[in-house]
Amino acid sequence: MDVLKKVPVREQDPKVRATNFEEVCLGYNEEEAKEEASRCIQCKNPKCVAGCPVSINIPGFIKEVENGNHEEAAKIIAESSALPAVCGRVCPQESQCEGRCIRGIKGEPISIGKLERFVADWSREHGFVPAAPEKTNGKKVAVIGSGPSGLTCAGDLAKLGYEVTIFEALHEAGGVLTYGIPEFRLPKEGVVQPEIDNVRKLGVKIETNVIVGKSVTIDELLDEEGFQAVFIGSGAGLPMFMGIPGENANGVFSANEYLTRSNLMKAFRSDYDTPIVAGQKVAVVGGGNVAMDAARTALRLGAEVHVVYRRSEAELPARVEEVHHAKEEGIIFDLLTNPIEILTDEKGWVNGMKCVRMELGEPDASGRRRPVEVEGSEFVIDVDTVIMSLGTSPNPLISNTTKGLDINKRKCIIAEESTGQTSKEGVYAGGDAVTGAATVILAMEAGRAGARGIHEYLSAKE
Ligand SMILES: Cc1cc2nc3c(=O)[nH]c(=O)nc-3n(C[C@H](O)[C@H](O)[C@H](O)COP(=O)(O)OP(=O)(O)OC[C@H]3O[C@@H](n4cnc5c(N)ncnc54)[C@H](O)[C@@H]3O)c2cc1C
């Protein structure tokens, strides 16, 4: 065994996986996990823990894996995280825990994410469920949104004895974990649902199909429905568009809508008749992780897929691993290319996308080189479907319908980082609704902070 290298993880072959929605990464088995765990040098002052937004005792759980005590490992992780099987799969570990690992200085860091995933999968397969509180304290808290921030806040409050109800606008719980991230990176029935069920087992109620701001307002929850505090974890689900001609054509989707149709409306299953326009030639505009997910989904639905991005490969905001997987599967990257018009046929359907070539100029405020149009470089890409993946912002419904709730210029709710306290008494917020589109683990950290804030507030009131 080469201690400088990670134990390799098995993956589906790119040619095979490009035609199915099965998980790409197959994870470690017990033997591989034990071997990888034995590479951890158990630092006295573990930098990986400082790199984890929810401060999991990483060396602690890895030691238990090395010793074969998987249930103990699961208990250690459960102290800090309600969604380990999710985080083990989708966290950007390279810039967090693994990015700080001492082993990474001379060789490859410990595969912390894959070990977390192994423990979480082992617990699920062996029926390990985190302990629920023995009795409640009779205080009711409402949580808006069942994404990672809402689930984490609800789980932490339930462990403290609160009676928590999550109100979710969609018909299924999980937020982006359920409607956004594709099945081939994060299986829903096998991985996401069991972790949501574990939160339910702590005593949390989840009411779906309730749009707060329409079905009921925050003021009504507090004044009429008997809730003593509210946590807003409503995410940032409102897509942005370019504002170019033809964007209203049939066959133009936001990445969120496209992925929702695939995930939640099960367009990826042949036994479902979901309208998704499984185009023959699809352009995905944008270069972030969401663009990679949309592109890889369209590929699996049978299309030739172009990612159209106005800067060069070095500036692609998506994780290197995602770009690598997309290329392996056959996605075509049209870099330094910017759309200026979506062309349509006589029936209003997409019939090509007019683009210009770009070159990189001086760095802009973000430090990245500014793309500048090359004069006279217009050309048409032959596509019949366009997916816009240009970022999202929070939906203003909640802020528009709640008295005294302050938001900033980007429509994000203003909340204190350490407690989630907003401008309105008894109302806390966290996750993408506060930061704008970010990551699962940062949303979970905010959910934990919100639970602490609400507990302090309600304890002080007593
Ligand atoms: C396609 C895609 C892929 C991603 N991939 C990754 C990844 O690999 N790794 C990573 O770390 N992050 C990833 N992210 C980002 C990550 O998923 C989000 O940062 C995270 O889910 C935010 O959590 P949240 O709880 O704040 O909000 P969300 O997950 O957005 O959940 C908010 C929930 O609130 C509900 N809601 C909204 N308004 C209301 C209302 N008025 N009433 C009731 N309910 C409401 C929504 O329906 C939703 O279910 C990805 C995002 C997308 C879109």
Side-chain angles (χ1 to χ4, degrees), residues 326-361:
K327 282 187 173 170
E328 267 187 343
E329 290 166 9
I331 307 275
I332 302 157
F333 282 75
D334 294 336
L335 302 168
L336 291 166
T337 302
N338 202 29
I340 53 169
E341 183 180 354
I342 294 165
L343 307 172
T344 51
D345 64 14
E346 64 287 354
K347 290 194 176 142
W349 287 88
V350 174
N351 187 21
M353 187 166 73
K354 200 186 274 180
C355 298
V356 285
R357 304 260 179 232
M358 309 295 279
E359 56 190 13
L360 293 181

Side-chain angles (χ1 to χ4, degrees), residues 89-92 96 143-151 167-170 172-182 185 207 209-214 216 231-237 255-256 259 263 289-291 293-294 319 322 392 395 397-398 430-444:
R89 284 168 167 84
V90 304
C91 264
Q96 296 177 347
V143 170
I144 303 169
S146 61
S149 66
L151 288 170
F167 296 101
E168 167 55 52
L170 295 173
E172 271 184 39
V176 170
L177 309 179
T178 300
Y179 79 76
I181 303 180
R185 285 211 294 128
E207 287 195 25
N209 297 313
V210 181
I211 305 179
V212 175
K214 281 203 169 155
V216 63
F231 176 82
I232 307 170
S234 50
N256 266 28
L259 290 166
N263 280 320
N289 290 316
V290 179
D293 281 344
R319 286 172 74 186
E322 295 303 316
T392 52
N395 189 315
L397 178 65
I398 286 184
D432 284 6
V434 169
T435 55
T439 62
V440 170
I441 195 76
L442 289 176
M444 288 173 64

